């Protein structure tokens, strides 16, 4: 299958979510399932995913990923270069 994660999203809202709710947001493949997104995020960023919400936007399919409490979304965001 093609890449599941296409790109991270960095907006004012996603920055606030990473700080207050421990969430990261990505544009993902339209064909990707929640299970595939979870596996890809856990493998690529070496984290544990607690929950995934998926939205369909004009830009494509967007996944909002809540990380387990022991991981810091803000730190992961800095590591992958979205902040």
């Amino acid at each position: 299958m093609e890449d599941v994660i296409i790109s991270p999203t960095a907006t004012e809202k996603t920055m606030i979510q990473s700080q207050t709710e421990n969430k990261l947001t990505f544009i993902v493949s339209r064909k990707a399932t929640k299970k595939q997104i979870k596996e890809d995020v856990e493998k690529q960023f070496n984290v544990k995913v607690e929950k995934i919400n998926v939205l369909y936007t004009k830009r494509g399919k967007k996944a909002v990923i809540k990380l387990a409490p022991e991981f810091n979304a803000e730190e992961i965001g800095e590591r992958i270069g979205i902040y």
Side-chain angles (χ1 to χ4, degrees), residues 5-62:
I5 295 174
I6 297 170
S7 67
T9 306
T11 63
E12 192 174 343
K13 182 180 178 182
T14 62
M15 304 274 257
I16 292 167
Q17 281 184 326
S18 74
Q19 294 168 354
T20 60
E21 301 175 41
N22 205 30
K23 292 181 178 179
L24 292 170
T25 305
F26 296 96
I27 301 296
V28 297
S29 167
R30 281 198 176 271
K31 296 177 184 172
T33 64
K34 283 185 178 184
K35 184 179 181 200
Q36 291 168 324
I37 295 167
K38 178 181 178 177
E39 288 170 355
D40 201 39
V41 168
E42 288 181 341
K43 189 174 85 182
Q44 277 193 37
F45 306 114
N46 199 25
V47 295
K48 186 167 180 357
V49 173
E50 199 169 89
K51 185 177 179 183
I52 297 176
N53 288 326
V54 176
L55 306 121
Y56 291 89
T57 67
K58 290 178 184 173
R59 287 186 58 200
K61 188 173 182 177
K62 187 162 54 168

